[in-house]
Structures are given as C-alpha cells and as structure tokens.
Amino acid sequence: MMMNEFSIVCRLLGTIFQREPADPILSPIIAMIGDGKLSALWPLEQDELFNTLKHSVKDLALVKTDYQTLFGGEAPAVSIYAHDYTDIKEEDTRQFLVARGMPVTESATDSFGALLLAASWLEDNSAQDEILAQTQLFDEYLLPWAGAFLGKVEAHATSGFYRTLAAITRGALSALHEELLDDETNDAEEE
C-alpha cells in the first residue's frame, strides 16, 4: 500500500464513523458503496466484505436508525471516545495533535473517527517525522481501544452495514499499522 492510500483509507473510514449517514458529506461515499465503486478503489483485499457492505446500504433508513442507536442520542449503545475505554484523556490526545501542527476544533479529538481523520492529516501534512507521529497515534491513542470499540459495534449493530464496516476497519487497521511499522523499519535502516 502506498502512503497516499494510507491517507485515503483513514479519511474514508474516519468520515464514515464520524458522520451520520444522512450527512451530505457522507452521501457520495454511501452512493459509491451502494454502486460498488468504492471497492474498486480500495487498496486492501477486502472485496467480499465490500460486497456485503454494498448490499447493506440498500436500506439506508435502517443504516440511519442503526447509527443513531449505536452512536447518537443521550445514551448511545457504543461510545466512540477513547477515554471511555482506556485511561487516555481527551486533552492528551488534543495536545499530541496540536504539537504536530494539526488544527483542532472544540470537538472531542479522541473519537474513533476523529483519530482516523487525524492519521490521514498527519500523513498529508506533517513534517519529516510523520511515520513516527502516525505510529505513536496508532500505538498510544487508537489501537489500545480499537478492538473493544469495534467489538461493541459488531455486537450492538442491527444493520449489516456497521457490522461489516467494523470488520473492514479491523482489517484495515491491521494493514495500516503493519505498513507504519515497515516504513519505520525502512527509515531506521536508511539512517
């Protein structure tokens, strides 16, 4: 996987987890999934999962309801925040991102989607130490709780969309982390 593909994978998954299915920004992505066009552009071998995902967006009303049950409202079934799974504090995540030059808003920086979007931003915008920064983001702020989060999504989802998305994300995180470790090793050997 080329590193710009790293950014695209993180941006797409981050956007899908960060936004409601009815969000206008997400509409073109949902349409690409439904038309089977996203799988053709996806750099990882996950065609079977994307085929399942494609069929699961046919009932968009169910996907929207599932999102609200899983992540929305006063009492979501699944927390999207790292601080609910680990001792990682939101302010620590914020400081890490600000120290690397990432502009942040008042929104929480430790949500699953926001962390994936941050990984994409680091790939696209950070200085020479981007691989170290991305590895640190994965190792310290995302991977320690990603498995528990995705497991809860799989357990509580009523639509095939979010169950399948969790499986795609699990595989993608593994591939992305492996890519970071390989790049880190290559950089160390070049020095």
Side-chain angles (χ1 to χ4, degrees):
M1 177 183 345
M2 297 185 320
M3 288 312 276
N4 65 345
E5 291 173 338
F6 179 102
S7 178
I8 291 167
V9 169
C10 289
R11 184 171 298 129
L12 282 168
L13 292 174
T15 300
I16 294 170
F17 276 106
Q18 192 73 4
R19 298 183 178 275
E20 297 183 37
D23 189 308
I25 290 174
L26 200 50
S27 294
I29 297 170
I30 298 283
M32 286 180 73
I33 291 169
D35 294 341
K37 293 179 180 171
L38 189 58
S39 61
L41 303 172
W42 197 250
L44 303 170
E45 291 296 324
Q46 296 180 306
D47 292 346
E48 190 175 315
L49 288 170
F50 268 97
N51 194 38
T52 303
L53 195 67
K54 172 185 171 179
H55 295 295
S56 69
V57 295
K58 300 226 184 291
D59 188 351
L60 196 53
L62 176 61
V63 174
K64 290 175 184 177
T65 301
D66 202 14
Y67 181 92
Q68 287 306 316
T69 302
L70 288 168
F71 312 121
E74 297 286 316
V78 180
S79 172
I80 59 171
Y81 300 105
H83 63 262
D84 288 330
Y85 296 87
T86 68
D87 59 357
I88 300 168
K89 294 178 178 63
E90 193 278 335
E91 63 237 28
D92 295 338
T93 306
R94 181 175 295 278
Q95 287 175 353
F96 170 80
L97 296 173
V98 169
R100 274 132 195 95
M102 184 175 167
V104 295
T105 64
E106 291 181 19
S107 299
T109 57
D110 72 334
S111 74
F112 191 75
L115 287 168
L116 286 168
L117 291 168
S120 174
W121 187 91
L122 286 170
E123 169 62 27
D124 295 341
N125 296 289
S126 85
Q128 293 176 330
D129 67 344
E130 82 219 20
I131 293 169
L132 291 176
Q134 289 168 302
T135 302
Q136 187 177 1
L137 177 78
F138 266 66
D139 289 347
E140 295 179 24
Y141 299 99
L142 184 59
L143 293 181
W145 65 284
F149 168 75
L150 294 170
K152 284 186 175 234
V153 171
E154 289 168 326
H156 292 279
T158 55
S159 73
F161 182 82
Y162 286 103
R163 275 194 305 277
T164 306
L165 181 63
I168 288 170
T169 304
R170 195 180 301 278
L173 287 177
S174 178
L176 294 169
H177 189 243
E178 188 175 307
E179 182 75 20
L180 286 173
L181 295 177
D182 288 348
D183 287 348
E184 198 172 15
T185 301
N186 292 340
D187 281 1
E189 289 172 358
E190 289 173 9
E191 289 178 2

